[in-house]
Amino acid sequence: MKVVRAGTPECDRQLELLAARGETEDSGVARVVRDILAQVAARGDAAVCEYTERFDRMQVTPEQLAFTADDTRQAYAAADPKVVDALKYSAGRIRSFHEKQVRNGYRYDAAPGVSLGQIIRPLAAAGIYVPGGKAAYPSTVLMNAIPAKVAGVPRVVMVTPTPGGEMSPYLLVAADLAGVDLAFRVGGAHAVAALAYGTDTIPRVDTIVGPGNIYVATAKKLVFGQVNIDMIAGPSEILVIADESSHPGFVAADLLSQAEHDELASAILVTPSEAVAHAVAAQVEAQLAVLPRAEIARQSVARFGTVIVTRDLSQAAEIANRVAPEHLELALADPEALLPSIHNAGAVFLGHYTPEAIGDYVAGPDHVLPTGGTARFSSPLNVDDFIKKTSVIRYGRQAFMDAADTCKTLSDVEGLTAHSHSVTIRVETPEGELPPG
C-alpha cells in the first residue's frame, strides 16, 4: 500500500483520485441500456425473455419467470441448516433495528381554525434487485426487503438473475424469511425495466432498491422519475482511522474485507502513527499472500489502497470527512471521543472488535450504504425509503379570512392572478351565499 503524508502533493493527488471514484457514467453503456428499457416498455414479457436468453443463457417463457412455493421448499431442503439459522438471526436483528425507525403521522392546531398535519403511508409496491448466480448474497435480500416490510409495503417484488439456470438456494430462503411476496428469475437492465414499467407477468413497483453492475446502476438512474430509487451504488469502500492501540493484523484484515469485493474498491488507512502505518501496510502484503480472492484485492490495493499519516486524530477526521466513505472504522483506544468530529460516513464502526463484517451481517443497521462520496448528502437504506408523506391542511372560514390578505399579497407579487382570484372570490362572496366552514 502507498504510504503518504497528509498535506503533501502526493496525498492530495490520491485524495483527488478517490474523489472521482463515484463517476461511473459511460455513454456506451447508457446507449445499450436505453435500448433495453425501450424494448421492455414496448414489448413487455417478450423482451424480458429475449434478454434473459441473451445475457443469462437460459430460455424461459413468461410462465417460467416467477419462482414458486415449490422452488422455496426445494431451497430449504438444499440449504445447510446452520446457514438458515444464521439468516434467521440476521433477519431478526435487521427487523428489530428498523422497527425503531417507524414514524407515525401527526395533526396539530397551528392557530384557531387552522389544522395542519402529515400522513405517512407505505408505498404500494417495492422492487428489490439482488445480484445472482453462484456468488449470491442472501444478506442483500434481508437488508433490502426487511425495511420495506417493516414500513408496511404490501407487495415486495424481488428480481435476481440465474445465469445458466444456476442459483444459490439461500436467496430464496432469505426472501422467505424477509417476507418477499413475489420473486422472478430475471436480472440486468431488463429486470429494472420490468419493475419500472411493469409487464403482464412482473408487476410495476413504486421504488427500486438494491445493488448491481454498471448496467443495472445505469438502468436505475434512467428510470428514476418513472419510479423512485435508493441510490446509484458504486464500488465498495472502507476507511480506517487507527492509533497505536490498534492491532495491525485486525486493521489489515478489515481493509482487505472491502478490497476483495472488486478491483475498483478502495481501502484507506488514516493514522497519526508512522509505526502503525508501516505495520498495517506490511500486514496487508502478508495477508494478500493467503487470501483466496487475492488477485482482485491486489488490484484494488494497487489502485486505491492508501495509508495516510496525519499530524493527529483531528486531521484524520478531516480527511475522513473529505473522503466521506461508505464504511468508516475508528480503531482507536477511545473511538467515542472522535465520533462527534465525524460528519460524512455511511456507517461508523467503533472500537477494535467492530469490524465492517459485523455490520454487513449481524448487527442490524442496513448495509446498503452511500458510496462514491455521497455520504456527504445521503443516508443508508432505511424505512423512510419505503414510505411517502402527504401534507394535510385545513382552514376554517375565519382563519381563512385572517390569512387572505397575506396570501393575496404573495400571489400578486408573483403575478399568479388566478391564485389571487381564488382568495378574492371567497372574501367578496356575500354572506348568504357562503358554504359552511
Side-chain angles (χ1 to χ4, degrees), residues 34 44 54 70-71 76 101 164 192 293 302 426 437:
R34 282 194 179 92
R54 182 191 305 181
D70 190 52
D71 290 325
Y76 272 103
Q101 298 174 345
V192 174
R293 294 170 64 88
R426 285 169 168 81

Side-chain angles (χ1 to χ4, degrees), residues 30 98 102 186 264 268 284 317 328:
H98 287 86
V102 175
V186 56
L264 297 178
I268 308 154
V284 167
L328 173 61

Side-chain angles (χ1 to χ4, degrees), residues 252-335:
D254 294 353
L255 293 171
L256 290 174
S257 74
Q258 294 309 291
E260 76 170 351
H261 270 292
D262 65 63
E263 295 86 345
L264 297 178
S266 56
I268 308 154
L269 169 64
V270 185
T271 177
S273 169
E274 288 271 6
V276 169
H278 291 285
V280 170
Q283 272 292 315
V284 167
E285 284 302 314
Q287 293 184 30
L288 272 172
V290 296
L291 195 69
R293 294 170 64 88
E295 188 53 40
I296 292 172
R298 192 175 294 280
Q299 291 184 53
S300 167
V301 168
R303 184 169 184 180
F304 290 117
T306 308
V307 179
I308 301 173
V309 180
T310 61
R311 64 174 180 272
D312 53 27
L313 289 177
S314 177
Q315 187 180 36
E318 291 173 9
I319 290 173
N321 287 327
R322 179 176 172 182
V323 174
E326 178 187 17
H327 307 97
L328 173 61
E329 289 188 8
L330 303 184
L332 306 170
D334 187 5

Side-chain angles (χ1 to χ4, degrees), residues 16-191:
E16 288 170 6
L17 178 64
L18 290 167
R21 69 195 185 280
E23 297 174 6
T24 58
E25 187 68 37
D26 184 310
S27 59
V29 169
R31 283 194 297 272
V32 171
V33 171
R34 282 194 179 92
D35 182 60
I36 291 172
L37 297 179
Q39 288 294 319
V40 173
R43 300 194 296 117
D45 286 337
V48 169
C49 291
E50 287 171 17
Y51 286 122
T52 299
E53 181 177 356
R54 182 191 305 181
F55 297 124
D56 290 340
R57 309 175 309 283
M58 187 176 69
Q59 287 189 340
V60 289
T61 64
E63 295 74 23
Q64 295 170 321
L65 288 174
F67 290 102
T68 65
D70 190 52
D71 290 325
T72 299
R73 284 191 290 271
Q74 291 179 30
Y76 272 103
D80 181 340
K82 183 177 180 181
V83 177
V84 174
D85 287 343
L87 289 171
K88 288 179 179 178
Y89 176 86
S90 179
R93 296 299 294 266
I94 296 165
R95 189 172 290 108
S96 177
F97 178 84
H98 287 86
E99 283 171 348
K100 299 184 185 303
Q101 298 174 345
V102 175
R103 293 183 288 151
N104 296 314
Y106 57 86
R107 291 286 291 270
Y108 70 99
D109 293 330
V114 179
S115 175
L116 305 176
Q118 185 178 81
I119 298 171
I120 296 177
R121 292 192 175 97
L123 301 181
I128 65 170
Y129 187 97
V130 181
K134 286 183 176 179
Y137 302 101
S139 62
T140 297
V141 180
L142 301 181
M143 292 288 184
N144 283 276
I146 289 175
K149 298 309 287 187
V150 169
V153 175
R155 187 174 69 209
V156 174
V157 183
M158 182 178 89
V159 292
T160 186
T162 57
E166 294 183 348
M167 179 182 176
S168 165
Y170 299 114
L171 292 186
L172 287 182
V173 170
D176 182 62
L177 295 175
V180 169
D181 299 286
L182 297 168
F184 297 92
R185 57 184 93 244
V186 56
H190 49 295

